[in-house]
Amino acid sequence: MLFLGLLLAAISAAMMTVATLRLSQVNEGHYLPMTIGTFEVRSPWKVTTLRVGAQAVAVASAWIVAGAVWDLTTAPAALVLPAAALILPIAVPVLVITAQHNRLLKTSGI
């Protein structure tokens, strides 16, 4: 079951990567908020659906990973693996793509 959970986390990361790349293309020439904020150009419905779907798959993967490591005798692994399966597939693609997108713009967005 652990393999299935990690596979779902990878699928979630791929979905979030595709959605964030599309959002970056739609907002070409505008700054993307790094964590919280509004986009200059509204996210298309398909992109929003893909982002929400990626988050749902990440939640499912974290649930499966948590069930797989529940009986581990090492408490840190039982806490860290589900949290990583939930946070990393969503946060890493968004932060990397947003940083790359904003870095290509000429002036500061502040």
Side-chain angles (χ1 to χ4, degrees), residues 10-73:
I11 291 170
S12 172
M15 291 171 65
M16 187 56 81
T17 300
V18 169
T20 306
L21 284 172
R22 287 185 186 168
L23 189 59
S24 174
Q25 291 171 350
V26 168
N27 282 282
E28 190 67 37
H30 301 286
Y31 282 90
L32 293 177
M34 191 59 90
T35 53
I36 297 174
T38 58
F39 300 108
E40 290 290 328
V41 179
R42 188 173 179 192
S43 175
W45 185 80
K46 288 182 179 182
V47 173
T48 301
T49 303
L50 191 58
R51 288 170 62 98
V52 170
Q55 293 169 2
V57 172
V59 168
S61 72
W63 187 265
I64 291 170
V65 169
V69 298
W70 182 261
D71 293 328
L72 286 180
T73 57

